[in-house]
Amino acid sequence: MKTIPVDDRKNPLRIFDFASFAETTALLFIRPELLWSKIRNLAPDLTICDSMQALEVHNFRLHTESRKRAKSDSNARDMYFSKNIGLRRDWYTDAAFGQQQFTGTNPTTITLAPRRWIDEFTSTAQAQGRADIISLLTEKAESLYMQDYSDFRSSIGISPGEKIVSDGRHGCSSVALFHLEPEGKLHPLGIVLDYKGSIEESVTIFNRRITSNVNGDEYMDWPWRYAKMCVQVSDWLRHEVAIHLVNTHLVEEVIIVAAYRSFGPNHIIFRLLEPHWSTTLSLNKAARETLVPSIIIGMTGLTASQTYAFLKAAYDRFDWKGLYVPNDLRTRGFPVKCLDEPKYHNYAYARNISKTWNIIRKFVATVLSKEYAGGDAAVQRDASIGIFCDEVRSRKGGQLTSFPAIETLDELIDFVTMCIHVAAPQHTAVNYLQQYYQTFVPNKPSALHFPIPQFLSELCSFTEEDLLSALPLKRPRDWLLMAQVPYLLSFEVPEESTILHYAETTSSSRATPTVIRSAAQVLASDLRAFIDTVIQNSNELDDQQTPYLVLDPSRTAISILI
């Protein structure tokens, strides 16, 4: 992309909240000791915050003070104004950790554990004398799920034994194994801290609590809490760079640019997709020029070149058809037809996103079935579709090699549905919960600030002091960026920018083609009805402390706005 069309250009100050943008900029260019006290005091004082409980108290105090200030000055809001997970007394528990895989910032990569990983964890359990783990892995193989970050080193081009570290910040390539219990709780069983080519060469720890209903002192289990922190660090990188930046922002940009180059402004596909492009190109320009090089690279254990290698690897792996919602859920072990069964009731993201996909596809199918009344033959006669596909796949164009040739009406409907899905509900799901889960840094830091233990015996001797050493308590700038960036990216969607508002206004706009206007009336009705489904799915969660309403159509952004 060389230029942004004039109508799509937006200054960053029109995209981001001004105060938050200014504070983030200050963190980049001003030494912590020179920052004005309002910002500097948001980082914990190491002389006072010398325990995890003290960090929780610090977080609660900042939230309370922010709320109090906002009562007299609405512009006084900061990153601690809204609630965050650190206000929960159980934020560190296995239950909260497991539920985040289903309804947290990245609910998109939890997947059924393949036989290879079950065997590796089993052999490690044998070496550690964990007969209880071996029994469970043998008897419940069909209910074992995992988060697999083992490919990080190959993605960034370093050897299996080489450390992931940059400027004192340590990254890790974790692997986490979970048991999806019959009643629906996702319980963590084992964690590889930092996978180094084989499980034998890596440090692996198993949970003392074999099931979710086994009692135990989770608060004082420092080795296990540290292991969960490693998983969160790994997921921070995958979520922020791959799932969020690549799989929504950059993929959607390819679609936008290819559409501008291939379709006329009155082409039905252009008219269907264009409303879902608002702000995206300007936002991506800001990400390329500032967010990635000046912020993200300074928050993780990756160097600049490794970050771009990781980004490119994620882009090269993007599987267009494989990530159609029904295909993706089935591949990861969550068949759509089973999602309303008790076993899956806590996976509210999957339950909501599958229905959202169907609603959008119904809308798209209604429009395109009328526009291409000749069916597959009519699609094949539209030369601009072929030009578009070539542009997306071309080495001189989008370089999205997984993009399919579109030759049938069904394929065209799926393609347009996917474009809207990526820009609206998918981006909403992986973007707007960042403030809640990441502003409280101990829950999901972007890096560790102390070397990762190299032996299990070393990990098992960990105390609270070791957990604190892993956090950026001695680097206030790092702490503030970890807390501030999620806040910068998580502002509420304005009502006029929601997908429901789009459907309602489109259905009554005379400037809209009749075929789209008519279909939008049904879309608006379907979306309004879906609000009740989102609320019901949230109410059915075992965890009732944190509602999951991000995919409510009255909150879902129409495009990648921030």
Side-chain angles (χ1 to χ4, degrees):
M1 181 180 66
K2 294 182 179 179
T3 60
I4 298 176
V6 174
D7 291 343
D8 291 340
R9 295 177 189 172
K10 273 192 177 181
N11 187 287
L13 295 179
R14 292 180 57 203
I15 299 174
F16 300 103
D17 172 78
F18 176 78
S20 180
F21 185 79
E23 290 168 359
T24 306
T25 302
L27 291 174
L28 296 178
F29 301 108
I30 302 175
R31 296 204 310 271
E33 63 271 18
L34 299 179
L35 289 170
W36 52 92
S37 59
K38 176 192 172 186
I39 299 177
R40 187 178 65 250
N41 292 340
L42 295 177
D45 183 341
L46 186 58
T47 62
I48 299 173
C49 295
D50 57 355
S51 68
M52 294 303 294
Q53 184 178 20
L55 290 176
E56 294 165 8
V57 171
H58 172 77
N59 179 63
F60 178 79
R61 177 179 61 80
L62 292 177
H63 173 67
T64 304
E65 291 175 353
S66 182
R67 289 274 176 157
K68 187 180 297 184
R69 284 194 303 271
K71 286 183 178 179
S72 56
D73 180 6
S74 60
N75 294 320
R77 294 186 179 189
D78 57 32
M79 67 185 89
Y80 289 99
F81 173 82
S82 297
K83 290 182 178 180
N84 64 57
I85 194 170
L87 298 173
R88 291 178 50 159
R89 292 185 177 182
D90 68 341
W91 69 269
Y92 58 87
T93 61
D94 290 340
F97 176 68
Q99 187 58 39
Q100 285 180 65
Q101 318 308 315
F102 278 166
T103 54
T105 55
N106 174 24
T108 71
T109 54
I110 184 75
T111 190
L112 199 64
R115 186 74 250 174
R116 168 236 166 166
W117 278 110
I118 296 174
D119 291 344
E120 290 213 40
F121 274 103
T122 300
S123 65
T124 304
Q126 289 173 336
Q128 295 185 19
R130 288 296 302 269
D132 53 346
I133 293 287
I134 296 170
S135 177
L136 193 151
L137 299 188
T138 302
E139 297 172 6
K140 305 293 183 182
E142 75 287 350
S143 296
L144 298 176
Y145 288 78
M146 65 185 300
Q147 290 282 20
D148 181 4
Y149 313 96
S150 63
D151 62 345
F152 280 12
R153 281 180 170 80
S154 61
S155 294
I156 63 177
I158 64 174
S159 65
E162 193 171 344
K163 292 182 179 180
I164 302 174
V165 61
S166 176
D167 190 27
R169 289 179 292 270
H170 297 261
C172 49
S173 184
S174 302
V175 181
L177 184 69
F178 299 84
H179 176 212
L180 182 56
E181 298 174 339
E183 68 278 7
K185 284 186 170 60
L186 190 67
H187 185 67
L189 293 176
I191 293 172
V192 182
L193 300 189
D194 186 24
Y195 188 76
K196 298 180 178 179
S198 73
I199 204 164
E200 292 81 12
E201 297 296 323
S202 312
V203 176
T204 302
I205 185 172
F206 291 102
N207 198 344
R208 297 174 183 174
R209 301 171 60 249
I210 189 69
T211 65
S212 62
N213 56 13
V214 171
N215 293 326
D217 187 354
E218 294 188 64
Y219 193 88
M220 299 290 288
D221 192 352
W222 305 115
W224 183 244
R225 287 184 64 172
Y226 177 84
K228 289 188 288 187
M229 185 183 289
C230 288
V231 175
Q232 294 289 68
V233 168
S234 297
D235 193 69
W236 193 101
L237 180 64
R238 170 150 289 166
H239 163 257
E240 210 64 72
V241 177
I243 303 304
H244 182 198
L245 178 59
V246 172
N247 290 10
T248 61
H249 284 257
L250 300 188
V251 166
E252 191 68 18
E253 179 178 312
V254 169
I255 298 302
I256 296 171
V257 174
Y260 269 114
R261 293 177 178 177
S262 308
F263 300 118
N266 292 318
H267 193 286
I268 193 64
I269 294 175
F270 192 95
R271 296 299 296 268
L272 277 171
L273 295 183
E274 192 270 339
H276 306 281
W277 300 341
S278 175
T279 304
T280 304
L281 295 181
S282 293
L283 183 60
N284 285 4
K285 180 175 183 288
R288 270 191 292 272
E289 294 178 352
T290 303
L291 183 64
V292 174
S294 299
I295 300 178
I296 299 299
I297 288 174
M299 294 177 67
T300 75
L302 271 58
T303 64
S305 61
Q306 290 170 349
T307 301
Y308 289 115
F310 187 86
L311 189 154
K312 184 179 185 302
Y315 187 83
D316 290 343
R317 281 197 302 267
F318 187 87
D319 183 352
W320 182 268
K321 291 181 70 174
L323 288 172
Y324 289 174
V325 169
N327 298 343
D328 175 54
L329 291 175
R330 181 176 59 253
T331 300
R332 292 193 291 110
F334 301 98
V336 173
K337 65 180 181 181
C338 300
L339 291 177
D340 288 333
E341 295 177 4
K343 182 177 180 178
Y344 304 105
H345 76 277
N346 282 320
Y347 199 4
Y349 162 80
R351 299 179 73 192
N352 289 341
I353 205 71
S354 61
K355 291 180 172 62
T356 303
W357 174 274
N358 291 338
I359 290 171
I360 294 172
R361 195 180 192 282
K362 176 183 174 183
F363 164 67
V364 173
T366 300
V367 174
L368 295 183
S369 295
K370 293 179 180 178
E371 191 70 17
Y372 293 87
D376 297 348
V379 171
Q380 292 162 17
R381 285 195 298 270
D382 189 342
S384 58
I385 294 175
I387 294 171
F388 173 85
C389 294
D390 290 343
E391 179 69 33
V392 172
R393 290 193 299 264
S394 169
R395 295 303 301 172
K396 294 183 179 180
Q399 303 180 37
L400 197 62
T401 56
S402 69
F403 195 83
I406 298 173
E407 298 179 344
T408 70
L409 181 57
D410 262 352
E411 289 171 345
L412 184 64
I413 292 168
D414 281 337
F415 144 65
V416 175
T417 301
M418 179 65 164
C419 293
I420 299 173
H421 161 75
V422 168
Q426 183 69 355
H427 178 262
T428 293
V430 302
N431 182 74
Y432 288 97
L433 296 179
Q434 292 181 87
Q435 182 277 329
Y436 179 81
Y437 285 105
Q438 293 172 206
T439 293
F440 182 61
V441 173
N443 181 63
K444 197 166 189 177
S446 59
L448 302 167
H449 286 70
F450 195 79
I452 298 167
Q454 300 300 301
F455 302 97
L456 180 60
S457 58
E458 183 184 357
L459 173 62
C460 289
S461 67
F462 263 34
T463 65
E464 182 175 21
E465 184 178 350
D466 295 293
L467 204 66
L468 291 169
S469 295
L471 295 170
L473 289 169
K474 296 179 180 179
R475 300 176 69 162
R477 177 184 176 275
D478 283 22
W479 182 287
L480 291 170
L481 277 175
M482 288 183 192
Q484 177 74 12
V485 170
Y487 172 66
L488 177 70
L489 300 177
S490 297
F491 278 83
E492 290 185 12
V493 181
E495 189 275 334
E496 66 273 13
S497 297
T498 65
I499 194 169
L500 179 58
H501 185 268
Y502 157 77
E504 291 175 338
T505 54
T506 299
S507 65
S508 59
S509 172
R510 293 188 177 183
T512 303
T514 302
V515 65
I516 296 179
R517 187 165 68 244
S518 176
Q521 293 175 357
V522 179
L523 174 63
S525 176
D526 288 345
L527 291 173
R528 283 192 291 267
F530 180 57
I531 293 174
D532 291 335
T533 301
V534 172
I535 294 171
Q536 178 182 338
N537 288 343
S538 180
N539 289 340
E540 291 176 0
L541 294 174
D542 292 338
D543 181 352
Q544 285 298 301
Q545 294 191 63
T546 304
Y548 189 72
L549 303 172
V550 69
L551 289 173
D552 176 336
S554 66
R555 304 181 183 204
T556 297
I558 187 59
S559 66
I560 299 173
L561 297 170
I562 195 168

